Amino acid sequence: MVRREDLSAVPAVRGWLESASPPPLFDGHSSPAIAEAVQHHVLRQLRRLRDYPCVARRTAEGRLNLHAWFYEIDTGSVLAHGPHDDAFLPL
């Protein structure tokens, strides 16, 4: 998640965020509801990716592992989804 902090030290990230439309939803305060919505979106995209035949085949063969991560830009925290816990936990 991004809060409106100074991102001048990471110009590529700043440029990417500035090009996003609509403007970021974050007003400087972390919102658990927004984080949860983003995490659910990550899981939906992972399920969608698993539906591609080439991905499904390689996953079944054990040649491909998929992971769902949530990165919070303002803190640098990376959370990985644990399928057994059905939760995003710190790496």
Side-chain angles (χ1 to χ4, degrees):
M1 290 191 313
V2 173
R3 298 179 202 165
R4 295 195 180 263
E5 273 115 17
D6 179 18
L7 296 174
S8 60
V10 283
V13 173
R14 185 186 66 225
W16 175 70
L17 291 172
E18 287 173 352
S19 69
S21 179
L25 301 172
F26 309 104
D27 62 0
H29 302 287
S30 182
S31 169
I34 292 173
E36 186 177 331
V38 172
Q39 291 170 358
H40 284 295
H41 178 74
V42 168
L43 294 176
R44 281 193 308 273
Q45 293 303 313
L46 187 64
R47 284 191 297 271
R48 185 174 182 204
L49 181 61
R50 285 186 177 129
D51 288 338
Y52 285 93
C54 62
V55 173
R57 183 175 58 254
R58 285 177 178 85
T59 302
E61 295 169 351
R63 296 175 45 208
L64 177 67
N65 293 311
L66 301 175
H67 305 275
W69 289 9
F70 176 76
Y71 175 60
E72 192 170 74
I73 293 172
D74 62 315
T75 66
S77 297
V78 179
L79 306 176
H81 183 260
H84 300 291
D85 300 324
D86 193 25
F88 281 84
L89 305 170
L91 282 177

